[in-house]
Amino acid sequence: MYSMCDSPLDSRLVFDGLEKKNLFQWNAMVSGYSRNKLYEEALRAFIELVLQTDFKPDNFTFPCVIKACGGILDVRLGQGVHGMTAKLGLLGDVFVCNALIAFYGKCGLVDEAVKVFDYMSEKNLVSWNSMIWVFAENGFAQEGLRLFSEMIKCEKSFVPDVASLVTILPVCAGEGNLEMGMVFHGLAVKLGLNQELMVKNALLDMYSKCGCLSHAKGLFDKDNNKNVVSWNTMIGGFATQGDTRGTFYLLRKMQVEGREKTNEVTILNVLPVCLERSELLCLKELHAYSIRHGFHYDQLVANAFIAAYAKCGSLCSSQLMFNGMETKTVSSWNALIGGYAQNGAPRKALEFYLQMINSGIKPDRFSLGSLLLACSHMKSLRFGKEIHGYLIRIGLETDPFIVISLLSLYIRCGKSASARVLFEEMENKSLVSWNALIAGYSQNGLPDEALVLFHQMLSDGIQPDEISINSVFGACSQLSALRLGKEAHCYALKAYLAEDIFVGCSIIDMYAKSGCIEQARRVFEKSRNKDVALWNAIIVGYGLHGYGKEALGLFEKMLAFGMKPDGFTFVGILMACCHSGLVQEGLKYFNDMQNFHGITPKLEHYACIVDMLGRAGRLDESLRLVNEMPDEPDAGIWSSLLSSCKTFNALDIGTKVAEKLFELEPNKAENYVLLSNLFAASGKWDDVRRVRQKMKEIGLQKDAGRSWIELGGKVHSFMAGNTSFTGSKQMQNMWRRLEEKIRKIGYKPNTNSALHELAEDEKIEVLRGHSEKQAICVGLLRTSKGETLRINKNLRICVDCHNAAKLISKVVEREIVIRDNKRFHHFRNGFCSCGDYW
């Protein structure tokens, strides 16, 4: 009675007061300790029984002792007890075997549990339930489902009970298998178990985790017999879906109804929804509620609040929460260090890590993972390598979590080769590791390697997810690899990934950046769930192509549909106006953004306006805006202004702008090239030589003009002036024929585009070797008549190549799409979509 009333101390007092003790009383004492999770006391009582009495433990003793071994996860001790049961001839007892199955399952020894289960001559329903639980608990979902089916079909045809359903439903939840979950729901109804509280809670959990929250909510609302687990499950479901309003509504409703009190699990289930600055007020409200009810003393709750404050951008609150903790465990330090590392304060994360070490706390894999993340953000390769060395010394370098962190470090520091070596050394390559390396290649300007690795992943039988597909679309966008992009699109459709919002945005972005804005529009129109991100993707796409009026039309349509634009929307709008010469419209939308939509302009918005005014020749206004803007202009803004100065030969403004640019980026070759081109366009050859000499002194080299074109699924690259291409003779002959034809309709080489101190005929020869002309020639040689040519270029297209491409499109009767480093140019029938405004 005392042990069942959670008072094992009183049980012991009664037990110790007995003059004579029988085996039943010893068993009651061991059972009482085990029932109250006092596992070490249970084992001590068992040892007393064996050593101090003549009683032999029986089939009532051993299940409690085996449970205690599982409670402290002592495999060797449990195996010793298993041996004792064998010696005493108790392995034929169903209760002992059931306890052994649960023990081995809890310790992760699934094979041993299976051996015990298979050895049993007689099995009851608990035996089957225990074995199903072992499979479910250890990640063998399919085996668990198979065994459940066997249980029903076996000779005794056991009828599932509450425990059976409560064990199998979480398997469906973990696998996201809604169809199978609904089958078990039907079975529960058939067996009359659907009104059992534990079954109802398991159903709520299954529907929530399978993404069917509305169905879960329907069951929850109809249920008049809820407990705290019911509320916690439903609150957790809304939080997992990111529904802040729904989560807090349920929390308040739970308090208003007052039948069930919140507990620490309730708070832990609510906290994951607090991820953005906009949720900071809700987070503070929840924190105050936790303080009033004493939940903040719980270690898990306190750690979760530290992490939540960091995610909501309040690092000072995160630190205050940490400082207020009496006992700081490694998990508390990890929450603080991880919060700073993940939220823009990597140096602070490093400082707290050192404080943790000095306080005598030993770091674990999560501490070191956060430290590697901080190094990644700081791009501190040297310190990152030191940590890598330390990980090797302590034997953690092969830990899957640590390996992913190391991959991210080397990728962010631009060491893709080192990341690849690390990846190849991994014995078990998880999907996360494949995604990390593919994304790393794509982000570091190595799209070819990203696509090769993606194909390798498929051939190894790894199924891509949304992250993999997004990285592949990013790589295809960089290369304008349309054919490969289409293959990835087909794969996304077959794998039911295309409906994901982020994948949808990536598909639109890929088609737009591959020159197929019409296909991007078709994907957009077919999308069922058009959220702001999808509208932004298509507006930016039209902006890149210089279709400003179409972009503005889409924006107005977006507003008509009741969508609320964000900062990214206006980046797309301002970029569209910039590339289309819609200066007045651009200035209007810039004002509307602030006055009507309440969006404070960021650096990227000012950059668009500066570029727009500069391209229109309004250099004084552009410079005035740069000097008056609230944020400090970055190198990109000064570079854009210097480029405009070159276009309009504004030497005085240009030299002043160059000084500012060199202060920010003194070692970037592109900046010196811009200034050199400005001097060359003005005929200042002495200044050109001075700038080029400066570049030599500091070891900088100009990026050569490079163009590439996808032909037959393979990307062909061309370098300005390089004639080493396999079919260069054919290419040269093709250009001669083209030049002859376009000269007849008005082509005259623009030698101002050859920014070299050369004779006119030498300049013409230089222009003939420009990379986009090589790509056009090979494209015409290798494609069918009438087929569109899609070419990428790493630099801005020059006036001569632009003029030539317009006329070539007319004489060959083909569309030629060239994407330079600023925008797209669609050449059709002698005209360009940019209207010669670029």
Side-chain angles (χ1 to χ4, degrees):
M1 182 274 291
Y2 278 125
S3 70
M4 292 184 79
C5 292
D6 302 330
S7 188
L9 185 61
D10 289 314
S11 285
R12 185 73 200 203
L13 289 170
V14 173
F15 179 78
D16 288 341
L18 294 169
E19 288 184 23
K20 291 183 179 181
K21 302 178 181 76
N22 60 26
L23 182 58
F24 179 84
Q25 290 155 349
W26 278 101
N27 286 349
M29 200 64 245
V30 174
S31 172
Y33 280 134
S34 190
R35 179 193 298 275
N36 286 280
K37 298 182 180 178
L38 297 169
Y39 301 121
E40 291 181 357
E41 285 83 347
L43 292 168
R44 272 195 285 270
F46 172 69
I47 292 165
E48 282 179 52
L49 165 67
V50 173
L51 295 179
Q52 297 175 14
T53 76
D54 294 327
F55 297 120
K56 281 186 179 180
D58 62 9
N59 58 335
F60 293 103
T61 319
F62 279 109
C64 303
V65 175
I66 293 165
K67 181 183 177 183
C69 294
I72 60 171
L73 297 175
D74 193 326
V75 175
R76 289 186 65 187
L77 183 59
Q79 287 173 330
V81 174
H82 186 173
M84 286 182 71
T85 62
K87 285 179 182 177
L88 293 169
L90 293 172
L91 283 183
D93 184 87
V94 69
F95 297 106
V96 172
C97 288
N98 289 347
L100 284 169
I101 290 168
F103 160 71
Y104 282 121
K106 200 166 188 182
C107 294
L109 300 172
V110 179
D111 289 341
E112 296 300 316
V114 171
K115 284 177 189 175
V116 174
F117 181 78
D118 289 343
Y119 178 81
M120 293 173 73
S121 56
E122 183 188 348
K123 301 179 181 79
N124 61 11
L125 185 57
V126 176
S127 314
W128 287 92
N129 286 346
S130 298
M131 196 62 234
I132 292 166
W133 174 85
V134 169
F135 281 134
E137 195 70 11
N138 288 280
F140 295 94
Q142 294 308 314
E143 287 81 355
L145 291 167
R146 177 187 53 76
L147 196 64
F148 190 95
S149 177
E150 277 183 34
M151 178 181 79
I152 297 170
K153 294 174 184 174
C154 74
E155 192 178 333
K156 290 190 176 180
S157 61
F158 289 103
V159 177
D161 63 0
V162 170
S164 313
L165 290 168
V166 169
T167 302
I168 203 67
L169 281 167
V171 175
C172 302
E175 291 288 292
N177 192 337
L178 178 62
E179 189 178 346
M180 188 60 73
M182 293 179 84
V183 168
F184 288 120
H185 187 179
L187 181 63
V189 173
K190 188 177 179 181
L191 297 172
L193 298 174
N194 59 309
Q195 292 305 311
E196 292 287 339
L197 187 57
M198 288 176 71
V199 174
K200 285 191 286 187
N201 289 341
L203 285 168
L204 288 179
D205 181 63
M206 183 274 293
Y207 281 117
S208 296
K209 286 179 179 171
C210 289
C212 206
L213 199 58
S214 57
H215 208 129
K217 185 73 164 55
L219 289 175
F220 181 79
D221 289 341
K222 288 175 188 173
D223 185 13
N224 294 319
N225 181 29
K226 305 181 187 83
N227 65 3
V228 68
V229 177
S230 317
W231 284 97
N232 288 349
T233 303
M234 205 64 236
I235 286 168
F238 274 91
T240 303
Q241 294 288 323
D243 187 344
T244 310
R245 187 177 295 177
T247 303
F248 277 91
Y249 169 76
L250 272 176
L251 179 62
R252 292 185 182 107
K253 189 178 179 185
M254 182 182 181
Q255 294 169 69
V256 168
E257 290 194 7
R259 277 178 281 182
E260 295 296 335
K261 289 184 178 180
T262 54
N263 60 17
E264 289 84 354
V265 177
T266 318
I267 304 302
L268 289 169
N269 280 2
V270 173
L271 280 169
V273 87
C274 302
L275 294 169
E276 305 288 340
R277 285 182 183 275
S278 55
E279 270 98 51
L280 184 58
L281 199 61
C282 291
L283 177 59
K284 287 183 174 181
E285 179 188 342
L286 188 64
H287 189 183
Y289 178 83
S290 298
I291 291 169
R292 285 199 303 277
H293 292 83
F295 298 143
H296 66 299
Y297 292 116
D298 182 90
Q299 190 76 224
L300 288 173
V301 171
N303 293 345
F305 270 112
I306 292 169
Y309 273 120
K311 285 172 184 171
C312 290
S314 183
L315 292 170
C316 57
S317 298
S318 188
Q319 191 174 339
L320 284 169
M321 184 80 198
F322 176 80
N323 292 341
M325 294 176 72
E326 286 184 28
T327 306
K328 298 177 178 70
T329 63
V330 68
S331 298
S332 313
W333 283 99
N334 287 348
L336 186 68
I337 293 165
Y340 275 96
Q342 293 163 22
N343 294 281
R347 293 190 185 280
K348 237 357 186 171
L350 182 56
E351 286 176 24
F352 283 116
Y353 175 81
L354 295 172
Q355 281 184 37
M356 180 181 81
I357 298 296
N358 293 333
S359 70
I361 301 283
K362 190 177 178 182
D364 62 9
R365 57 202 284 267
F366 298 108
S367 323
L368 294 163
S370 294
L371 192 60
L372 285 168
L373 178 63
C375 293
S376 299
H377 286 310
M378 293 189 295
K379 295 191 176 176
S380 176
L381 185 62
R382 184 183 64 81
F383 193 44
K385 281 184 172 180
E386 287 179 19
I387 299 165
H388 191 174
Y390 172 71
L391 289 164
I392 292 169
R393 288 197 299 277
I394 62 173
L396 265 180
E397 79 281 6
T398 57
D399 179 273
F401 174 76
I402 291 294
V403 172
I404 299 300
S405 299
L406 284 168
L407 278 176
S408 299
L409 167 75
Y410 287 117
I411 285 163
R412 281 185 179 241
C413 292
K415 297 293 178 182
S416 300
S418 300
R420 185 59 181 264
V421 170
L422 199 65
F423 175 79
E424 294 298 345
E425 287 175 353
M426 292 176 71
E427 286 183 25
N428 299 311
K429 298 177 177 69
S430 66
L431 178 60
V432 177
S433 62
W434 285 95
N435 287 349
L437 194 56
I438 291 169
Y441 277 139
S442 186
Q443 290 159 14
N444 282 306
L446 299 166
D448 294 297
E449 287 85 344
L451 295 174
V452 169
L453 193 63
F454 178 71
H455 284 297
Q456 186 184 324
M457 181 174 89
L458 291 177
S459 65
D460 283 4
I462 306 294
Q463 293 298 313
D465 62 2
E466 294 89 341
I467 297 169
S468 328
I469 292 291
N470 278 337
S471 298
V472 169
F473 283 131
C476 292
S477 297
Q478 291 178 54
L479 289 169
S480 284
L482 183 60
R483 181 173 167 181
L484 294 171
K486 283 181 176 178
E487 286 177 16
H489 186 187
C490 289
Y491 183 89
L493 289 168
K494 286 177 188 172
Y496 302 103
L497 296 173
E499 281 303 311
D500 179 88
I501 290 295
F502 297 108
V503 173
C505 290
S506 295
I507 294 170
I508 291 170
D509 183 66
M510 181 275 295
Y511 279 119
K513 287 180 178 173
S514 298
C516 288
I517 191 64
E518 298 86 0
Q519 182 62 27
R521 182 63 179 266
R522 280 194 286 274
V523 172
F524 172 77
E525 294 298 347
K526 285 180 182 176
S527 298
R528 283 181 242 167
N529 302 315
K530 295 183 178 72
D531 74 345
V532 175
L534 220 61
W535 283 95
N536 289 350
I538 193 67
I539 288 169
V540 168
Y542 273 101
L544 274 173
H545 285 262
Y547 296 136
K549 290 183 179 175
E550 288 84 350
L552 298 184
L554 277 166
F555 177 69
E556 296 301 332
K557 194 174 177 182
M558 172 185 172
L559 295 179
F561 274 104
M563 303 299 293
K564 189 178 179 182
D566 58 18
F568 294 110
T569 317
F570 282 98
V571 169
I573 288 295
L574 296 175
M575 186 169 63
C577 293
C578 175
H579 289 313
S580 307
L582 302 172
V583 180
Q584 292 309 121
E585 290 87 343
L587 293 172
K588 173 191 173 295
Y589 281 109
F590 184 64
N591 289 326
D592 287 353
M593 177 180 82
Q594 300 167 75
N595 300 329
F596 294 117
H597 299 284
I599 297 171
T600 304
K602 293 185 177 177
L603 210 58
E604 53 265 33
H605 300 107
Y606 283 106
C608 288
I609 298 295
V610 168
D611 193 27
M612 181 180 72
L613 292 170
R615 285 170 186 267
R618 294 162 67 165
L619 298 173
D620 290 329
E621 290 176 65
S622 186
L623 185 60
R624 192 182 312 123
L625 179 64
V626 170
N627 291 326
E628 291 175 358
M629 58 192 277
D631 297 319
E632 195 66 33
D634 64 2
I637 288 177
W638 289 114
S639 176
S640 165
L641 191 52
L642 183 56
S643 182
S644 297
C645 290
K646 181 255 170 188
T647 303
F648 294 98
N649 288 337
L651 200 58
D652 291 340
I653 296 176
T655 49
K656 291 172 186 173
V657 169
E659 287 174 14
K660 294 283 188 182
L661 186 56
F662 293 141
E663 284 176 18
L664 294 171
E665 290 182 339
N667 295 314
K668 191 173 181 182
E670 185 186 329
N671 300 334
Y672 291 91
V673 172
L674 276 173
L675 182 60
S676 173
N677 290 348
L678 172 64
F679 286 134
S682 304
K684 303 283 186 180
W685 295 109
D686 289 338
D687 290 319
V688 170
R689 281 188 285 272
R690 177 175 55 78
V691 173
R692 289 178 181 170
Q693 182 58 37
K694 178 73 173 173
M695 286 179 71
K696 280 183 184 177
E697 287 171 7
I698 56 179
L700 298 177
Q701 196 170 0
K702 176 189 173 184
D703 287 337
R706 189 168 73 89
S707 296
W708 56 96
I709 184 172
E710 183 192 17
L711 299 168
K714 187 179 177 184
V715 177
H716 299 270
S717 187
F718 306 90
M719 199 81 75
N722 183 7
T723 57
S724 62
F725 184 74
T726 311
S728 59
K729 207 70 182 169
Q730 286 179 294
M731 188 172 68
Q732 288 166 13
N733 290 335
M734 170 59 80
W735 176 252
R736 286 195 192 96
R737 291 198 299 274
L738 284 174
E739 189 174 353
E740 190 178 326
K741 287 179 181 179
I742 61 178
R743 278 183 182 273
K744 287 178 182 176
I745 58 171
Y747 172 68
K748 185 180 177 184
N750 186 318
T751 53
N752 289 332
S753 298
L755 299 171
H756 301 276
E757 197 174 4
L758 300 169
E760 284 296 297
D761 56 338
E762 290 175 309
K763 287 183 177 182
I764 291 170
E765 204 55 44
V766 168
L767 294 174
R768 284 178 180 143
H770 278 193
S771 61
E772 52 266 66
K773 291 192 179 97
Q774 296 177 46
I776 288 171
C777 291
V778 173
L780 291 171
L781 286 166
R782 299 271 187 98
T783 56
S784 306
K785 190 175 180 181
E787 192 176 332
T788 299
L789 300 185
R790 302 180 192 280
I791 296 162
N792 262 34
K793 183 174 169 64
N794 66 329
L795 304 175
R796 196 172 182 181
I797 189 170
C798 73
V799 174
D800 181 69
C801 289
H802 193 270
N803 291 343
K806 284 195 295 185
L807 297 173
I808 292 168
S809 71
K810 186 172 184 177
V811 297
V812 299
E813 298 180 348
R814 293 221 215 173
E815 182 180 2
I816 300 170
V817 180
I818 297 180
R819 175 190 174 190
D820 67 10
N821 68 344
K822 298 291 181 184
R823 57 164 296 154
F824 277 89
H825 300 266
H826 293 257
F827 300 99
R828 294 190 196 95
N829 199 30
F831 295 95
C832 179
S833 59
C834 73
D836 297 340
Y837 184 86
W838 86 101

